[in-house]
Amino acid sequence: MSQDKTPPPPLPDNAPTPRPNFIREMVADDVASGRFGRSVCTRFPPSPTASLHIGHSKSLVLNFGLARDFGGRINLRFDDTNPFTEDIKYVNAIKDDIRWLGFEWDAEFYASDYFERLYEIALHLIRGGKAYVDSQDEEAIRAGRGTVTTPGTNSPDRDRSVEENLALLARMKAGEFPDGAHVLRARIDMAHPNMIMRDPLLLRIRHAPHYRRGNAWCLYPLYDFAHGLSDAIEGITHSLCTLEFKDNRDIYEWLVREAGFETPPEQTEFARLQIDYTVLSKRKLLRLVTEGHVAGWDDPRMPTIAGLRRRGVTPEAIKQFADDVGVARSDARTELAKFEHAVRDDLNMRVPRVLCVVKPLKLVVTNYPEELVEELEAPYYPHDVPKEGTRLLPFCREIWIDRDDFMEDPPKKFFRLAPGREVRLRYGYLVTATDVIKDASGEVVELHCTYDPATKGGNTPDGRKVQGTIHWVSARHAIACEVRLYDRLFSIPDPDAVDEGKDFLSALNPDSQVVVPNAYVERSTAGDAPGSAYQFERTGYFKHDVDASATAGKPVYNRTVSLRDSWEKAKGKG
RNA sequence: UGGCCCUUCGUCCAAUGGCAGGACAGCAGACUUUGGAUCUGCGAAUGGUGGUUCGAAUCCACCAGGGCCAACCA
């Protein structure tokens, strides 16, 4: 036992201390005991069949964090084993997403580069009587597998001679058979209590163009055959995957042992990330895209890395969230609030404040000179954010305020504008509502106020307290813009928990995207670059959409996340 | 008539046989030119029953609840 002799390497000075978890502890133990006789090597093994989502960021943070903190390496390996579903566009998108998150892999590999090696291993298994070619059709193979409570039955081809198996496999590889004519199976136990071990399929024939192999190769490994052996070939020490692969660990270990690897990698499972009001499964996300329920993989409502990026979520927020959630073995579902907290917490310190009126109501300052325009200086950051910078806000007789900031008949605790009430216009003046103008249907269309000239900048020289401060923009100077208000994609916490006969799509939230085509943002944002991020004061965090098909050339701002709103909460209580 | 895994505040994660702790959420207050942020305080949990032990969230047994496995998907 050499437990005490080699302490784990110290963490880099400026790295935040990652939360402890059982995997980190295990790796530390393995490093201390020198178990693998080599440095830590992890891997991130996406299959290029879909874009990455925030669930992957949990795995990314874990795997990259381990490699970094224990002085090891990490491979990016595309587990590309199925020409029917894979696409080079996903390879590129996945690499972009990982880089955007701020991770750099040490080496890039493709399972499809191991096909020849896997073929050699298949030969080795056949020679040892550990694999055979099965010529049953798909249905027969399935029927022969039995069920969870009844053992399977042996294939009639199970006892083919080594020679016959070898010859058949060679012809399979040579392309002599159509898809599905034969498969290679491991020869284990058709009555095994773990169904995965009932002679699992290893290779199948697929005559389809592959984005890396072209048409030259037609023998494609299944996940179980490719994954563990790819790990072993690359010298991975710790192979981390999600809980649903627990049963696959038996075949993982069986194959790596039969193939003769000296210090095989160890598979360890942890619970996948689940978040309320969304789905995090490739297949479901793919359906949302292909069936047009969202605009694409980067739709800002999607929990994909691309969607979150466009929504305005930063890599730092995503990584902080992944760390906050922790790593454990219990199947868990995280509240959306935890994610939103990470997003706000990051953006709060990062982005400038700006004023934007989302639901405009005209306010006329009746005692303000018709032609006068004053330029009022306003800081970009509040006192508690250590950043500098100011801009000028033009103030004039006509301004826009938010409809929600006026109530004709307000409840007691409503601190905003109402007939006869005084509020502060942020960085502007104190104004008092005098008249409410309505149209024929009784809707409020305009508000008349008077202002107090002594309160320029929002100051109260007489020291009087004003409960409410509202945002506003000059009607003569503001920039018309489109604002897109995003909300949870699904209306129930677990979109899979729907009635019999329905699927998760029936739980889609019809109001997940509300487009407001006629908002007004302050002049200072004129010409800002797509990608610019702000806090629209009192409203939320927004990001100038990068590739919007803007309505009438207006800039489009995506709401990343709303501000916490204690007024909304107070209202609900009556 | 199976196998495997899981179960600690509302939620997520710690506590590695020795004072059940943190984060988010919640509540109350302070502060505030964002009903934001910040600060202070409060409430809040070991699924059940037995057993082992001086001592059990932790070990054992049984029960209950939840999850995964019967794709030529990953």
Side-chain angles (χ1 to χ4, degrees):
Chain A
M1 297 306 229
S2 58
Q3 249 81 325
D4 308 320
K5 288 179 185 163
T6 37
L11 298 178
D13 286 344
N14 55 353
T17 311
R19 249 135 89 67
N21 60 60
F22 75 100
I23 292 178
R24 190 165 273 276
E25 205 167 307
M26 173 191 71
V27 173
D29 288 349
D30 290 343
V31 168
S33 69
R35 173 180 169 195
F36 288 94
R38 57 178 185 271
S39 62
V40 169
C41 190
T42 60
R43 102 267 94 110
F44 182 70
S47 62
T49 55
S51 283
L52 257 30
H53 55 72
I54 191 168
H56 291 109
S57 67
K58 177 174 176 178
S59 174
L60 254 1
V61 166
L62 219 207
N63 281 293
F64 278 83
L66 252 16
R68 178 198 62 206
D69 297 341
F70 290 95
R73 293 176 298 118
I74 177 162
N75 296 344
L76 171 61
R77 182 182 68 243
F78 289 94
D79 265 359
D80 48 357
T81 58
N82 190 347
F84 291 173
T85 54
E86 289 154 6
D87 195 314
I88 186 72
K89 78 177 180 196
Y90 292 124
V91 170
N92 295 325
I94 287 168
K95 283 163 44 170
D96 286 348
D97 287 345
I98 297 172
R99 285 199 202 95
W100 178 75
L101 282 169
F103 296 116
E104 286 172 47
W105 51 93
D106 294 295
E108 181 176 326
F109 295 115
Y110 294 80
S112 54
D113 290 343
Y114 305 144
F115 285 175
E116 283 79 5
R117 182 88 183 262
L118 258 19
Y119 181 78
E120 294 301 321
I121 292 172
L123 259 24
H124 171 76
L125 291 174
I126 288 174
R127 290 190 196 104
K130 299 295 175 75
Y132 62 97
V133 173
D134 194 340
S135 306
Q136 297 184 102
D137 63 23
E138 201 171 331
E139 220 129 309
I141 290 176
R142 191 175 320 155
R145 194 144 33 216
T147 71
V148 289
T149 52
T150 59
T153 51
N154 287 170
S155 165
D157 299 327
R158 199 168 194 264
D159 293 315
R160 274 214 251 247
S161 69
V162 169
E163 291 68 32
E164 194 182 352
N165 279 321
L166 254 19
L168 241 20
L169 186 64
R171 294 177 62 197
M172 285 164 69
K173 181 188 170 217
E176 291 184 29
F177 305 112
D179 290 7
H182 310 279
V183 292
L184 183 75
R185 301 179 74 175
R187 195 164 182 277
I188 303 175
D189 178 4
M190 288 306 292
H192 202 288
N194 178 358
M195 295 210 51
I196 301 273
M197 296 297 272
R198 321 243 262 226
D199 290 9
L201 272 62
L202 268 23
L203 290 169
R204 77 304 213 177
I205 298 168
R206 265 180 78 118
H207 293 281
H210 182 268
Y211 73 101
R212 281 178 73 82
R213 304 297 307 233
N215 291 302
W217 192 268
C218 66
L219 225 41
Y220 286 88
L222 278 99
Y223 167 83
D224 285 316
F225 192 43
H227 189 80
L229 293 172
S230 297
D231 282 348
I233 289 167
E234 293 176 15
I236 300 301
T237 54
H238 301 273
S239 179
L240 313 178
C241 63
T242 45
L243 253 25
E244 67 270 24
F245 291 97
K246 173 62 178 67
D247 288 348
N248 301 65
R249 192 157 97 200
D250 283 348
I251 185 63
Y252 184 111
E253 291 172 349
W254 187 90
L255 280 165
V256 168
R257 187 173 59 244
E258 292 298 337
F261 286 92
E262 294 285 308
T263 46
E266 178 172 40
Q267 170 177 311
T268 305
E269 310 82 20
F270 61 92
R272 66 185 306 136
L273 179 66
Q274 299 186 90
I275 305 177
D276 282 352
Y277 302 104
T278 193
V279 293
L280 293 179
S281 104
K282 275 194 299 202
R283 282 162 196 75
K284 295 196 182 87
L285 259 15
L286 186 61
R287 277 192 68 188
L288 290 175
V289 173
T290 56
E291 295 176 19
H293 301 289
V294 296
W297 287 105
D298 71 343
D299 187 301
R301 291 168 292 181
M302 288 285 272
T304 51
I305 303 300
L308 295 171
R309 173 168 57 215
R310 198 170 148 198
R311 174 92 167 240
V313 177
T314 64
E316 290 75 14
I318 291 172
K319 290 187 278 192
Q320 184 61 52
F321 171 67
D323 198 52
D324 285 349
V325 160
V327 178
R329 265 193 163 107
S330 53
D331 196 36
R333 176 171 283 274
T334 299
E335 288 178 340
L336 197 55
K338 196 162 196 130
F339 175 65
E340 295 189 337
H341 171 79
V343 175
R344 293 189 188 108
D345 198 44
D346 179 68
L347 259 15
N348 177 42
M349 300 301 282
R350 190 184 291 279
V351 302
R353 273 60 171 175
V354 129
L355 304 183
C356 176
V357 173
V358 176
K359 289 160 73 181
L361 172 64
K362 177 71 72 67
L363 185 156
V364 179
V365 186
T366 52
N367 60 338
Y368 195 83
E370 177 76 52
E371 301 303 326
L372 184 60
V373 176
E374 290 181 277
E375 296 285 342
L376 306 167
E377 188 170 39
Y380 272 125
Y381 299 94
H383 59 90
D384 49 0
V385 174
K387 286 188 157 188
E388 303 295 320
T390 62
R391 81 286 189 188
L392 296 175
L393 296 174
F395 184 86
C396 66
R397 196 168 191 269
E398 289 119 35
I399 64 176
W400 296 111
I401 66 164
D402 226 291
R403 296 201 89 90
D404 293 343
D405 286 337
F406 172 77
M407 277 185 94
E408 199 169 10
D409 188 19
K412 242 190 274 0
K413 290 262 182 75
F414 186 79
F415 301 151
R416 312 173 192 179
L417 217 42
R421 295 239 193 131
E422 182 176 56
V423 297
R424 172 185 293 112
L425 298 174
R426 181 79 157 152
Y427 302 126
Y429 285 98
L430 268 54
V431 295
T432 302
T434 54
D435 294 286
V436 181
I437 315 298
K438 296 178 185 176
D439 64 13
S441 65
E443 172 140 7
V444 177
V445 292
E446 197 172 293
L447 222 48
H448 286 186
C449 291
T450 56
Y451 85 115
D452 178 350
T455 59
K456 186 172 178 179
N459 299 305
T460 51
D462 61 353
R464 72 179 185 270
K465 296 286 179 206
V466 186
Q467 275 278 32
T469 298
I470 65 173
H471 57 283
W472 57 279
V473 293
S474 161
R476 294 184 203 159
H477 306 267
I479 297 165
C481 65
E482 178 174 314
V483 161
R484 296 179 184 168
L485 304 173
Y486 294 108
D487 198 358
R488 51 194 61 166
L489 227 199
F490 292 89
S491 51
I492 56 176
D494 180 359
D496 288 320
V498 290
D499 294 339
E500 275 290 311
K502 293 185 172 179
D503 69 6
F504 72 106
L505 294 172
S506 67
L508 278 165
N509 174 13
D511 301 317
S512 59
Q513 181 187 49
V514 174
V515 175
V516 181
N518 57 336
Y520 292 101
V521 64
E522 66 170 70
R523 184 191 60 186
S524 71
T525 63
D528 66 344
S532 300
Y534 308 96
Q535 183 197 102
F536 289 168
E537 290 208 38
R538 302 211 311 131
T539 303
Y541 293 96
F542 288 78
K543 182 178 181 182
H544 190 157
D545 196 31
V546 278
D547 54 357
S549 48
T551 312
K554 292 177 185 175
V556 173
Y557 294 96
N558 295 331
R559 182 170 71 191
T560 310
V561 64
S562 62
L563 251 32
R564 286 185 72 204
D565 189 347
S566 50
W567 165 241
E568 274 301 317
K569 263 182 290 190
K571 263 200 314 191
K573 288 182 206 159

